[in-house]
Amino acid sequence: MQQSIYDFTLDELKEQLKPSFRAKQVYNWLYKKYASSFEEMKNIPKDLKENLEKNYDIQLMQIVKKEISTDGSIKYLFKLRDGLTVEAVLLLMKKKQIAEDGSIEKSEKYTVCISSQVGCKVGCTFCLTAKGGFVRNLTVGEYISQIVNIKRDNNIPENKSLNIVYMGMGEPLDNYKNFIKAVKIFSELDGLAISRRRQTVSTSGISSKIEKLGNEDLGIQLAISLHAVDDELRSELIPMNKAYNIESIIDAVKKFPVDTRKKVMFEYLVIKNKNDDLKSADKLIKLLNGIKAKVNLIYFNPYPGTSYQRPESKDMVKFQEYLIKRGLLCTIRESKGLDISAACGQLKEKEMNGNS
């Protein structure tokens, strides 16, 4: 299998292609014009195009299915070169605002959730991705290609920034080397130019890797999938907690360099009669004491076959108010894509079972 053209930083591509200014031209075609073939690259000489065609792959994935929600969210199922599939989601965070004269007052705001692995080793009991087990890590190019495909499919202009959240299928810190390189390629100014401050890694808490990531000081944002305030429940929800318990995660987070204007996000999946009581809220406050934290309460999204239930809205609000009154910043994540296969692994599962 050929190496992907998306695997390279600009400096690396300059080493591969001579004269080196050609690398910048190729980068421009890949990341500003979203070229889907080398043939499209009009200002590239024929012999270089032939060289690119022979040595590098530009088609890493194809869209095999997409579901569009009434709220503007789009769930993608991508087929990779080896026939495996992964998912990504485009979330429309804010709609375009048009002024009375027809001009654009404010443009759309997008966030894209991308996958890191085919399957996952973590084995969270509330997650559909875990059902298929772990298959393989995504390559650097497969990380990048998810964003390029989504920008191309939605005609998102090159100068339109978006936010990336590494929280699709798989655990990003379990694919550490490729994830780090993807962060760097995404932020290349001559490429997609997605600022590192706009990139958030969501981890289920591999504390040793959180510490390692902190030492890299990349300037990206950190989100922790906490979901429980004691090790007993967390180990039920996230079996990996037996190896990396809550205390080790909190210790690693306290050492993580946080931008003065930012906070560490703690994602708390609220499950009815499991972790939605005020006793849990009180424990959460004590746990996060001394951390620049923001808590994001997430409604559990039920899927066929799960025993967990979606919490009541009133209990979510009570939980949120309890935290806010005690000085902990807390939001309730607006559920998007409820009318489509929004939960991780849901669209893949449907496709495998032949449901449309």
Side-chain angles (χ1 to χ4, degrees):
M1 203 178 278
Q2 290 171 310
Q3 187 160 15
S4 160
I5 193 71
Y6 296 111
D7 279 342
F8 300 98
T9 63
L10 182 55
D11 284 343
E12 286 172 341
L13 208 55
K14 282 177 180 174
E15 291 295 315
Q16 304 275 329
L17 308 180
K18 299 297 177 194
S20 61
F21 75 87
R22 293 293 182 199
K24 199 168 173 179
Q25 289 179 317
V26 170
Y27 240 62
N28 188 63
W29 280 103
L30 292 173
Y31 299 122
K32 308 292 187 193
K33 298 190 173 90
Y34 318 132
S36 56
S37 72
F38 295 119
E39 195 48 51
E40 288 172 48
M41 301 180 179
K42 303 296 179 203
N43 59 347
I44 304 294
K46 191 181 174 195
D47 61 335
L48 178 54
K49 277 193 219 177
E50 285 170 358
N51 172 38
L52 289 168
E53 198 74 57
K54 185 179 162 191
N55 294 299
Y56 306 101
D57 202 342
I58 195 172
Q59 290 283 8
L60 296 198
M61 54 181 65
Q62 62 187 90
I63 300 164
V64 287
K65 193 159 193 177
K66 66 178 183 178
E67 291 186 354
I68 303 169
S69 168
T70 51
D71 64 25
S73 306
I74 306 176
K75 183 71 175 266
Y76 287 90
L77 185 68
F78 292 115
K79 191 178 204 174
L80 308 175
R81 289 179 294 179
D82 56 7
L84 297 170
T85 54
V86 290
E87 298 175 354
V89 188
L90 175 71
L91 299 170
L92 178 60
M93 306 309 285
K94 284 190 179 167
K95 291 182 179 175
K96 189 188 290 180
Q97 289 181 21
I98 310 287
E100 284 180 22
D101 63 0
S103 63
I104 297 170
E105 215 165 61
K106 283 186 181 173
S107 65
E108 305 93 333
K109 285 195 176 176
Y110 295 109
T111 293
V112 184
C113 295
I114 60 174
S115 290
S116 294
Q117 298 173 316
V118 180
C120 188
K121 291 178 188 173
V122 178
C124 301
T125 54
F126 53 82
C127 178
L128 253 177
T129 303
K131 280 180 71 178
F134 173 73
V135 183
R136 71 167 174 85
N137 285 326
L138 293 192
T139 64
V140 175
E142 286 167 342
Y143 268 114
I144 309 302
S145 202
Q146 290 175 76
I147 295 289
V148 172
N149 271 278
I150 287 172
K151 287 195 87 172
R152 184 195 294 132
D153 191 55
N154 292 278
N155 296 313
I156 298 173
E158 55 145 300
N159 60 354
K160 176 69 202 156
S161 204
L162 43 76
N163 299 309
I164 298 176
V165 186
Y166 301 85
M167 69 176 306
M169 298 170 72
E171 163 60 60
L173 298 190
D174 195 33
N175 186 9
Y176 190 83
K177 193 177 160 192
N178 290 350
F179 155 69
I180 295 292
K181 191 169 181 185
V183 169
K184 292 174 180 175
I185 293 175
F186 280 133
S187 63
E188 289 265 16
L189 291 176
D190 288 306
L192 288 161
I194 299 166
S195 161
R196 294 180 188 184
R197 289 199 313 268
R198 288 181 170 273
Q199 299 186 49
T200 301
V201 59
S202 174
T203 174
S204 45
I206 306 177
S207 42
S208 57
K209 296 277 178 71
I210 294 169
E211 214 163 313
K212 190 177 176 185
L213 182 64
N215 292 334
E216 305 254 6
D217 205 5
L218 287 175
I220 64 172
Q221 310 309 318
L222 179 66
I224 304 291
S225 297
L226 191 65
H227 307 326
V229 290
D230 60 72
D231 283 323
E232 188 184 350
L233 177 59
R234 196 165 191 274
S235 294
E236 177 196 321
L237 298 175
I238 308 173
M240 193 184 72
N241 189 69
K242 295 181 183 81
Y244 304 102
N245 66 10
I246 293 175
E247 188 184 355
S248 75
I249 294 165
I250 297 297
D251 285 348
V253 169
K254 284 179 176 173
K255 294 172 193 163
F256 194 87
V258 182
D259 186 308
T260 49
R261 294 159 297 174
K262 301 288 184 179
K263 296 179 184 296
V264 176
M265 174 78 77
F266 285 86
E267 290 157 343
Y268 191 89
L269 185 73
V270 185
I271 302 169
K272 188 176 180 178
N273 300 329
K274 278 282 182 186
N275 58 0
D276 58 349
D277 57 295
L278 295 185
K279 204 171 172 183
S280 296
D282 193 55
K283 280 186 183 175
L284 188 57
I285 289 163
K286 291 184 175 77
L287 196 61
L288 303 184
N289 186 36
I291 296 173
K292 279 179 68 182
K294 178 184 177 182
V295 174
N296 196 6
L297 301 179
I298 305 165
Y299 280 94
F300 172 68
N301 239 352
Y303 56 84
T306 180
S307 59
Y308 297 130
Q309 293 176 293
R310 185 178 169 88
E312 304 287 337
S313 296
K314 61 178 175 59
D315 292 330
M316 288 285 271
V317 172
K318 268 187 202 169
F319 200 106
Q320 181 195 26
E321 287 174 349
Y322 190 90
L323 298 188
I324 291 171
K325 279 177 186 169
R326 284 149 187 85
L328 188 54
L329 184 62
C330 177
T331 54
I332 296 174
R333 183 185 291 171
E334 181 192 341
S335 291
K336 288 186 176 287
L338 280 177
D339 55 334
I340 60 172
S341 310
C344 276
Q346 216 170 328
L347 187 53
K348 181 183 171 93
E349 183 80 4
K350 274 170 71 171
E351 188 72 4
M352 282 171 66
N353 292 334
N355 300 324
S356 57

Short mmCIF file of all heavy atoms in Angstrom, two decimals, residues 8-37:
data_model
loop_
_atom_site.label_atom_id
_atom_site.label_comp_id
_atom_site.label_asym_id
_atom_site.label_seq_id
_atom_site.Cartn_x
_atom_site.Cartn_y
_atom_site.Cartn_z
N PHE A 8 2.54 13.78 5.60
CA PHE A 8 3.73 14.61 5.72
C PHE A 8 3.45 16.02 6.22
O PHE A 8 2.49 16.66 5.80
CB PHE A 8 4.44 14.72 4.35
CG PHE A 8 4.87 13.41 3.79
CD1 PHE A 8 4.09 12.75 2.84
CD2 PHE A 8 6.05 12.80 4.21
CE1 PHE A 8 4.48 11.52 2.31
CE2 PHE A 8 6.43 11.57 3.69
CZ PHE A 8 5.65 10.93 2.75
N THR A 9 4.37 16.50 7.06
CA THR A 9 4.39 17.93 7.37
C THR A 9 4.94 18.62 6.12
O THR A 9 5.51 17.97 5.24
CB THR A 9 5.31 18.25 8.56
OG1 THR A 9 6.66 17.89 8.20
CG2 THR A 9 4.91 17.50 9.83
N LEU A 10 4.81 19.94 6.06
CA LEU A 10 5.32 20.67 4.90
C LEU A 10 6.84 20.51 4.77
O LEU A 10 7.36 20.29 3.66
CB LEU A 10 4.95 22.15 5.00
CG LEU A 10 5.37 23.04 3.82
CD1 LEU A 10 4.85 22.51 2.49
CD2 LEU A 10 4.91 24.48 4.04
N ASP A 11 7.55 20.58 5.88
CA ASP A 11 9.01 20.41 5.85
C ASP A 11 9.41 19.04 5.32
O ASP A 11 10.36 18.90 4.55
CB ASP A 11 9.62 20.65 7.23
CG ASP A 11 9.68 22.13 7.59
OD1 ASP A 11 9.56 22.96 6.65
OD2 ASP A 11 9.84 22.45 8.77
N GLU A 12 8.67 18.01 5.74
CA GLU A 12 8.96 16.65 5.26
C GLU A 12 8.70 16.52 3.77
O GLU A 12 9.47 15.87 3.05
CB GLU A 12 8.10 15.63 6.02
CG GLU A 12 8.56 15.39 7.45
CD GLU A 12 7.59 14.52 8.24
OE1 GLU A 12 6.41 14.40 7.83
OE2 GLU A 12 8.01 13.97 9.26
N LEU A 13 7.63 17.16 3.31
CA LEU A 13 7.31 17.09 1.88
C LEU A 13 8.35 17.84 1.04
O LEU A 13 8.66 17.43 -0.07
CB LEU A 13 5.90 17.65 1.63
CG LEU A 13 5.15 17.08 0.42
CD1 LEU A 13 5.05 15.57 0.48
CD2 LEU A 13 3.77 17.69 0.29
N LYS A 14 8.90 18.90 1.61
CA LYS A 14 9.97 19.64 0.92
C LYS A 14 11.20 18.76 0.72
O LYS A 14 11.94 18.91 -0.26
CB LYS A 14 10.35 20.90 1.73
CG LYS A 14 9.37 22.05 1.56
CD LYS A 14 9.77 23.23 2.43
CE LYS A 14 8.78 24.37 2.26
NZ LYS A 14 9.07 25.48 3.20
N GLU A 15 11.41 17.84 1.65
CA GLU A 15 12.53 16.89 1.52
C GLU A 15 12.25 15.87 0.41
O GLU A 15 13.16 15.41 -0.26
CB GLU A 15 12.74 16.13 2.84
CG GLU A 15 13.27 16.98 4.00
CD GLU A 15 14.68 17.50 3.73
OE1 GLU A 15 15.52 16.71 3.27
OE2 GLU A 15 14.91 18.71 3.96
N GLN A 16 10.96 15.55 0.24
CA GLN A 16 10.58 14.53 -0.75
C GLN A 16 10.52 15.08 -2.17
O GLN A 16 10.84 14.38 -3.13
CB GLN A 16 9.18 13.97 -0.40
CG GLN A 16 9.04 13.40 1.00
CD GLN A 16 9.48 11.97 1.10
OE1 GLN A 16 9.36 11.21 0.16
NE2 GLN A 16 10.02 11.59 2.25
N LEU A 17 10.04 16.32 -2.30
CA LEU A 17 9.80 16.89 -3.63
C LEU A 17 10.80 17.98 -3.95
O LEU A 17 11.03 18.88 -3.14
CB LEU A 17 8.37 17.47 -3.71
CG LEU A 17 7.21 16.55 -3.29
CD1 LEU A 17 5.89 17.28 -3.43
CD2 LEU A 17 7.19 15.27 -4.11
N LYS A 18 11.40 17.91 -5.12
CA LYS A 18 12.38 18.91 -5.54
C LYS A 18 11.95 19.51 -6.88
O LYS A 18 11.46 18.78 -7.73
CB LYS A 18 13.78 18.28 -5.67
CG LYS A 18 14.34 17.71 -4.36
CD LYS A 18 14.53 18.78 -3.30
CE LYS A 18 15.01 18.16 -1.98
NZ LYS A 18 14.90 19.05 -0.86
N PRO A 19 12.14 20.82 -7.07
CA PRO A 19 12.54 21.81 -6.08
C PRO A 19 11.51 21.96 -4.97
O PRO A 19 10.33 21.69 -5.19
CB PRO A 19 12.68 23.10 -6.91
CG PRO A 19 11.84 22.88 -8.12
CD PRO A 19 11.85 21.42 -8.40
N SER A 20 11.97 22.39 -3.79
CA SER A 20 11.13 22.33 -2.59
C SER A 20 9.89 23.22 -2.64
O SER A 20 8.91 22.97 -1.95
CB SER A 20 11.96 22.66 -1.35
OG SER A 20 12.50 23.96 -1.45
N PHE A 21 9.90 24.27 -3.52
CA PHE A 21 8.71 25.13 -3.58
C PHE A 21 7.50 24.36 -4.11
O PHE A 21 6.35 24.76 -3.90
CB PHE A 21 8.97 26.40 -4.42
CG PHE A 21 9.02 26.18 -5.91
CD1 PHE A 21 7.86 26.22 -6.67
CD2 PHE A 21 10.23 25.94 -6.55
CE1 PHE A 21 7.91 26.02 -8.05
CE2 PHE A 21 10.29 25.74 -7.93
CZ PHE A 21 9.12 25.77 -8.68
N ARG A 22 7.76 23.24 -4.80
CA ARG A 22 6.66 22.41 -5.30
C ARG A 22 5.83 21.84 -4.15
O ARG A 22 4.62 21.63 -4.29
CB ARG A 22 7.20 21.27 -6.17
CG ARG A 22 7.84 21.70 -7.47
CD ARG A 22 6.83 22.29 -8.42
NE ARG A 22 7.43 22.66 -9.70
CZ ARG A 22 6.87 23.51 -10.55
NH1 ARG A 22 5.72 24.10 -10.24
NH2 ARG A 22 7.45 23.81 -11.70
N ALA A 23 6.51 21.57 -3.03
CA ALA A 23 5.80 21.02 -1.86
C ALA A 23 4.72 21.98 -1.38
O ALA A 23 3.61 21.58 -1.04
CB ALA A 23 6.79 20.74 -0.74
N LYS A 24 5.05 23.28 -1.38
CA LYS A 24 4.08 24.29 -0.95
C LYS A 24 2.89 24.35 -1.92
O LYS A 24 1.74 24.50 -1.51
CB LYS A 24 4.78 25.65 -0.86
CG LYS A 24 4.02 26.65 -0.01
CD LYS A 24 4.88 27.86 0.29
CE LYS A 24 4.06 28.93 0.99
NZ LYS A 24 4.84 30.11 1.33
N GLN A 25 3.20 24.17 -3.21
CA GLN A 25 2.12 24.16 -4.21
C GLN A 25 1.20 22.96 -4.00
O GLN A 25 -0.03 23.08 -4.06
CB GLN A 25 2.72 24.12 -5.62
CG GLN A 25 3.39 25.42 -6.05
CD GLN A 25 3.98 25.31 -7.45
OE1 GLN A 25 4.60 24.30 -7.80
NE2 GLN A 25 3.79 26.34 -8.26
N VAL A 26 1.81 21.79 -3.75
CA VAL A 26 1.02 20.58 -3.50
C VAL A 26 0.17 20.77 -2.25
O VAL A 26 -1.02 20.43 -2.23
CB VAL A 26 1.93 19.33 -3.39
CG1 VAL A 26 1.14 18.12 -2.89
CG2 VAL A 26 2.59 19.02 -4.73
N TYR A 27 0.79 21.32 -1.20
CA TYR A 27 0.07 21.58 0.05
C TYR A 27 -1.13 22.48 -0.21
O TYR A 27 -2.22 22.26 0.34
CB TYR A 27 1.02 22.25 1.06
CG TYR A 27 1.21 21.46 2.34
CD1 TYR A 27 1.76 20.18 2.30
CD2 TYR A 27 0.84 21.97 3.58
CE1 TYR A 27 1.94 19.44 3.46
CE2 TYR A 27 1.01 21.23 4.74
CZ TYR A 27 1.56 19.98 4.69
OH TYR A 27 1.71 19.24 5.83
N ASN A 28 -0.95 23.48 -1.05
CA ASN A 28 -2.02 24.40 -1.38
C ASN A 28 -3.19 23.67 -2.05
O ASN A 28 -4.36 23.89 -1.72
CB ASN A 28 -1.47 25.50 -2.31
CG ASN A 28 -2.48 26.59 -2.54
OD1 ASN A 28 -2.89 27.28 -1.62
ND2 ASN A 28 -2.91 26.74 -3.78
N TRP A 29 -2.86 22.76 -2.96
CA TRP A 29 -3.91 21.98 -3.63
C TRP A 29 -4.63 21.04 -2.66
O TRP A 29 -5.84 20.87 -2.72
CB TRP A 29 -3.32 21.18 -4.79
CG TRP A 29 -3.12 22.02 -6.02
CD1 TRP A 29 -1.96 22.53 -6.50
CD2 TRP A 29 -4.14 22.46 -6.91
NE1 TRP A 29 -2.17 23.26 -7.63
CE2 TRP A 29 -3.51 23.24 -7.92
CE3 TRP A 29 -5.52 22.28 -6.97
CZ2 TRP A 29 -4.22 23.83 -8.95
CZ3 TRP A 29 -6.23 22.86 -8.01
CH2 TRP A 29 -5.58 23.63 -8.99
N LEU A 30 -3.87 20.45 -1.74
CA LEU A 30 -4.46 19.50 -0.79
C LEU A 30 -5.37 20.18 0.22
O LEU A 30 -6.47 19.70 0.51
CB LEU A 30 -3.34 18.76 -0.03
CG LEU A 30 -2.47 17.78 -0.80
CD1 LEU A 30 -1.34 17.27 0.08
CD2 LEU A 30 -3.30 16.61 -1.34
N TYR A 31 -4.88 21.29 0.79
CA TYR A 31 -5.52 21.86 1.97
C TYR A 31 -6.28 23.16 1.77
O TYR A 31 -7.07 23.55 2.62
CB TYR A 31 -4.47 22.06 3.07
CG TYR A 31 -3.83 20.75 3.48
CD1 TYR A 31 -2.46 20.55 3.39
CD2 TYR A 31 -4.61 19.69 3.94
CE1 TYR A 31 -1.88 19.35 3.76
CE2 TYR A 31 -4.04 18.48 4.31
CZ TYR A 31 -2.68 18.31 4.22
OH TYR A 31 -2.11 17.12 4.58
N LYS A 32 -6.06 23.83 0.64
CA LYS A 32 -6.81 25.05 0.36
C LYS A 32 -7.89 24.79 -0.69
O LYS A 32 -8.95 25.37 -0.66
CB LYS A 32 -5.89 26.17 -0.17
CG LYS A 32 -4.66 26.46 0.69
CD LYS A 32 -5.01 27.08 2.02
CE LYS A 32 -3.75 27.51 2.78
NZ LYS A 32 -4.03 27.84 4.18
N LYS A 33 -7.54 23.89 -1.64
CA LYS A 33 -8.50 23.60 -2.73
C LYS A 33 -9.10 22.21 -2.61
O LYS A 33 -9.95 21.82 -3.40
CB LYS A 33 -7.78 23.74 -4.08
CG LYS A 33 -7.26 25.17 -4.32
CD LYS A 33 -6.78 25.32 -5.76
CE LYS A 33 -6.42 26.78 -6.05
NZ LYS A 33 -5.01 27.08 -5.75
N TYR A 34 -8.66 21.41 -1.62
CA TYR A 34 -9.19 20.06 -1.35
C TYR A 34 -9.18 19.16 -2.58
O TYR A 34 -10.15 18.44 -2.86
CB TYR A 34 -10.62 20.13 -0.78
CG TYR A 34 -10.85 21.20 0.25
CD1 TYR A 34 -11.97 22.04 0.16
CD2 TYR A 34 -9.95 21.41 1.30
CE1 TYR A 34 -12.18 23.04 1.09
CE2 TYR A 34 -10.16 22.41 2.24
CZ TYR A 34 -11.26 23.23 2.13
OH TYR A 34 -11.48 24.22 3.05
N ALA A 35 -8.09 19.21 -3.32
CA ALA A 35 -7.96 18.36 -4.52
C ALA A 35 -8.13 16.89 -4.15
O ALA A 35 -7.60 16.43 -3.15
CB ALA A 35 -6.59 18.58 -5.16
N SER A 36 -8.89 16.17 -4.97
CA SER A 36 -9.10 14.74 -4.68
C SER A 36 -8.28 13.86 -5.61
O SER A 36 -8.35 12.64 -5.54
CB SER A 36 -10.59 14.40 -4.79
OG SER A 36 -11.07 14.75 -6.07
N SER A 37 -7.51 14.50 -6.52
CA SER A 37 -6.59 13.74 -7.39
C SER A 37 -5.39 14.61 -7.72
O SER A 37 -5.47 15.84 -7.68
CB SER A 37 -7.30 13.31 -8.67
OG SER A 37 -7.50 14.43 -9.51
#
